[in-house]
Amino acid sequence: SWFLLGRRRRRQGEPPLENGFLPYLGCALKFGANPLAFLKEKQKKHGHIFTCHVAGKYIHFLTDPFSYHALMRQGKHLDWKKFHFATSAKAFGHGSIDPAEGNTTENFHQTFIRTLQGNALDALIEAMMENLQYVMLQSRAPKLQSNTWVTEGLYTFCCQVMFESGFLTLFGKEFNSNNDKNLSSKQETERAHILNALENFKEFDKIFPALVAGLPIHLFKSAHSAREKLGEALLHKNLLKRDNLSELVTLRMFLNDTLSTFDDMEKAKTHVAVLWASQANTIPATFWTLFYLLKSPEATKAATKEVQSVLESAEESISLDGKHISLNRKQLDNMPILDSIIKEAMRLSSASMTFRVAKEDFTLHLENDFYNIRKDDVVALYPQLLHFDPEIYADPLTFKYDRFLNEKGEEKTDFYRNGRKLKHYYMPFGTGIAKCPGRLFAVHEIKQFLALIFSYFEIELVDSNVKCPSLDQSRAGLGILQPSNDIDFRYRLKCL
Ligand code: HEM
């Protein structure tokens, strides 16, 4: 009946309630237009917990970072899977991946942890190092032949380089070894295929927020067809024609074939989901990191120096004679300045949201008080509130490359609010049980990208005074926000 009436009444012991003015939509439009401003305003009015009626759902926002762990600690009342599973099925078009519904017994989260972390990560890093250089130096070579500057959009560049390298790293190369006639024309064909996949990815990614919000994909003709084409490319029969598949993809193919009743296209769509997860946040994160670096000569200087010294101690030299640089996981882990730069860029651009759904009516215990939560209500964190809190991060809208470094030049981990040390101060990858399993690989990828850019290229913004693009809010809640416009930059090979 609340659905018909459009709003509920606050009961005793429940958090303050914002029904919004619109029936059904509630606060959805104001929230959607600028979630950060909306939540700040409600926080000012109601304090550290309040409930918003958003498009038929009741969402309890916890805004005090000292209460965040309540969400992890009271996990037995809260479900993280249902929402994720349902969203994935809706967005990518595969059947339910909830083992309770009988299509598969695969534990996806376990599969991801097993194949993106631990020893599996070393192999991913090694492949990515090779692929990034292949993409930067060979695949894009026609642009680089003369020693003149190439001008391009920075977002376009990051998109192409990260998508192509990341795709090759997870899904391997087209192989055709018994027919080795003309290597370079094969490379061109492969590149054309991947750039075509990139176009389909972008077309589909554009409407991703609408799909998460519950709109059916049939409303979006070209995005729908783009998703089907991505699925086509990732059919098992096509993947089997490729060489150097990652452990992640090999294992997922095996589990699809042995533990699921999915048909061929549904299996392929689970790979589309992995492709999307591996790219959708990494691309904008790479853009912001490089953009802020190019805006800050001080940061560039510190980063270049760190890269040089790691290359020297690894006894790697930079050359353009086809011998690639290799840096392993341990060497990449020893780059605190790049770590700080990447963190700072993601602090400024991330708008992920952590969601849990109440399995039953229960009482949520926070630090000093407690609240009644109803079954099927959502409890949510919006960490951008934390990332932009001036008490935690002085001058929060300014990029400070060394913000995450301590006096010794090592990783800084002590951040305070009200004089108290925070456990949670940086959360672009989510937190708790559903935290991004690809986070280590993601940071390594961006680091590798930067190390190579600064080793091989001279690079600068076309207009060094260009304004920082604003954050495109259309994907607020889903991860790293994209810039609302592209920025021109130029680059050329160094004379080595
Ligand atoms: C899930 C962020 C890169 C694979 C997530 C989640 C976030 C996130 C916020 C949801 C966590 C939650 O619901 O609480 C990011 C960011 C990235 C990044 C900011 C880059 C800067 C990657 C990469 C991969 C990856 C490179 C894989 C190669 C996944 C997968 C999931 C996930 C498979 C779903 C996990 C599950 O539900 O079991 N990511 N991610 N991510 N991410 Fe990432």
Side-chain angles (χ1 to χ4, degrees):
S1 64
W2 59 264
F3 180 81
L4 293 173
L5 295 170
R7 49 196 62 197
R8 74 158 58 152
R9 285 227 198 113
R10 181 183 179 193
R11 292 187 200 142
Q12 201 173 10
E14 291 184 338
L17 174 63
E18 279 288 334
N19 260 316
F21 295 109
L22 300 167
Y24 186 68
L25 284 177
C27 309
L29 297 184
K30 272 190 88 184
F31 179 79
N34 191 341
L36 185 68
F38 174 81
L39 293 174
K40 269 188 175 160
E41 183 195 315
K42 300 304 165 201
Q43 184 182 25
K44 217 174 189 174
K45 179 167 160 202
H46 298 297
H48 64 106
I49 180 170
F50 48 86
T51 310
C52 298
H53 173 204
V54 180
K57 292 242 175 302
Y58 288 88
I59 308 182
H60 309 280
F61 284 98
L62 305 187
T63 65
D64 174 8
F66 293 107
S67 288
Y68 282 13
H69 67 278
L71 207 69
M72 298 16 125
R73 222 183 35 207
Q74 293 167 68
K76 70 171 193 287
H77 303 292
L78 295 163
D79 184 286
W80 68 272
K81 288 189 183 136
K82 269 205 192 106
F83 175 79
H84 282 78
F85 287 172
T87 306
S88 183
K90 236 175 7 200
F92 300 107
H94 51 68
S96 169
I97 54 172
D98 187 344
E101 293 182 32
N103 296 321
T104 176
T105 53
E106 178 181 355
N107 179 335
F108 277 67
H109 198 64
Q110 278 306 320
T111 308
F112 294 142
I113 290 179
R114 229 171 105 183
T115 55
L116 287 167
Q117 299 178 16
N119 289 337
L121 180 58
D122 294 57
L124 284 174
I125 289 171
E126 198 181 309
M128 188 67 184
M129 198 74 194
E130 195 56 42
N131 290 328
L132 274 167
Q133 290 172 89
Y134 165 74
V135 170
M136 283 180 186
L137 301 171
Q138 268 107 54
S139 165
R140 302 171 58 90
K143 289 198 168 175
L144 293 169
Q145 260 155 15
S146 61
N147 191 24
T148 49
W149 292 96
V150 179
T151 301
E152 248 182 272
L154 189 63
Y155 195 78
T156 309
F157 176 84
C158 292
C159 211
Q160 284 189 7
V161 171
M162 291 311 263
F163 189 88
E164 194 177 345
S165 326
F167 190 97
L168 292 169
T169 300
L170 290 191
F171 298 100
K173 290 194 172 161
E174 282 174 43
F175 83 109
N176 201 348
S177 49
N178 42 9
N179 176 18
D180 203 30
K181 49 178 192 327
N182 182 342
L183 192 67
S184 77
S185 93
K186 268 202 280 180
Q187 285 176 346
E188 271 167 41
T189 317
E190 165 118 58
R191 176 152 200 260
H193 288 168
I194 296 184
L195 292 182
N196 188 257
L198 172 58
E199 287 316 305
N200 288 326
F201 171 84
K202 286 198 288 200
E203 190 72 36
F204 168 67
D205 185 45
K206 254 196 295 202
I207 63 143
F208 193 80
L211 299 179
V212 174
L215 297 181
I217 193 156
H218 305 285
L219 294 180
F220 309 96
K221 225 169 154 207
S222 53
H224 190 184
S225 120
R227 187 185 77 180
E228 300 310 297
K229 285 185 207 143
L230 285 174
E232 198 71 38
L234 301 181
L235 283 168
H236 283 201
K237 70 171 195 269
N238 292 328
L239 291 176
L240 286 170
K241 289 188 215 142
R242 304 179 70 86
D243 227 351
N244 292 326
L245 292 175
S246 64
E247 215 177 313
L248 168 60
V249 173
T250 320
L251 179 61
R252 291 245 40 272
M253 287 168 73
F254 175 74
L255 299 177
N256 268 339
D257 286 339
T258 52
L259 302 183
S260 86
T261 56
F262 293 143
D263 64 25
D264 289 347
M265 196 55 171
E266 282 184 300
K267 289 177 187 172
K269 297 246 175 96
T270 65
H271 301 303
V272 177
V274 169
L275 174 65
W276 185 86
S278 73
Q279 298 282 352
N281 288 308
T282 311
I283 292 169
T286 306
F287 166 84
W288 289 112
T289 310
L290 187 53
F291 174 76
Y292 282 118
L293 265 169
L294 296 179
K295 282 290 277 180
S296 161
E298 197 195 1
T300 303
K301 199 170 148 204
T304 324
K305 207 169 136 208
E306 181 171 80
V307 171
Q308 272 167 358
S309 97
V310 170
L311 286 173
E312 266 162 39
S313 60
E315 296 183 0
E316 287 287 331
S317 58
I318 308 161
S319 73
L320 293 173
D321 58 10
K323 191 190 159 295
H324 286 174
I325 300 172
S326 89
L327 289 176
N328 60 29
R329 181 172 173 184
K330 208 165 145 217
Q331 288 152 344
L332 290 163
D333 283 338
N334 193 20
M335 297 181 142
I337 298 177
L338 288 193
D339 275 320
S340 176
I341 288 168
I342 295 168
K343 270 192 175 162
E344 177 67 346
M346 291 220 268
R347 178 186 69 80
L348 285 163
S349 57
S350 144
S352 59
M353 177 141 86
T354 297
F355 260 96
R356 299 287 186 269
V357 181
K359 291 185 203 166
E360 65 242 332
D361 291 359
F362 78 105
T363 305
L364 179 70
H365 288 263
L366 301 182
E367 227 187 10
N368 302 314
D369 43 12
F370 47 88
Y371 296 90
N372 294 336
I373 306 292
R374 302 188 206 178
K375 181 171 190 280
D376 295 327
D377 280 2
V378 177
V379 184
L381 312 179
Y382 198 70
Q384 204 181 30
L385 281 168
L386 182 82
H387 294 155
F388 285 0
D389 184 334
E391 219 192 299
I392 305 171
Y393 297 105
D395 207 356
L397 298 180
T398 307
F399 175 85
K400 297 184 182 173
Y401 84 89
D402 54 358
R403 212 189 268 276
F404 292 93
L405 291 174
N406 65 20
E407 317 73 54
K408 289 194 206 139
E410 294 159 354
E411 181 187 2
K412 177 175 153 97
T413 54
D414 48 336
F415 290 86
Y416 293 84
R417 190 158 186 274
N418 285 335
R420 281 176 66 191
K421 191 165 178 246
L422 287 157
K423 182 153 181 260
H424 301 287
Y425 54 87
Y426 174 75
M427 299 172 55
F429 294 107
T431 187
I433 179 118
K435 199 169 183 179
C436 173
R439 64 192 182 279
L440 303 171
F441 179 50
V443 173
H444 282 101
E445 281 182 287
I446 299 173
K447 242 189 232 182
Q448 291 173 310
F449 171 88
L450 296 175
L452 295 171
I453 288 278
F454 288 112
S455 296
Y456 287 118
F457 299 108
E458 288 176 67
I459 171 169
E460 63 191 27
L461 294 170
V462 168
D463 169 9
S464 60
N465 293 319
V466 69
K467 251 185 68 195
C468 181
S470 55
L471 298 169
D472 172 356
Q473 294 291 342
S474 63
R475 35 190 61 241
L478 297 176
I480 307 290
L481 302 182
Q482 297 177 357
S484 49
N485 57 280
D486 206 347
I487 297 288
D488 282 338
F489 82 115
R490 61 180 158 237
Y491 63 104
R492 66 173 176 192
L493 281 172
K494 278 186 183 167
C495 303
L496 297 165

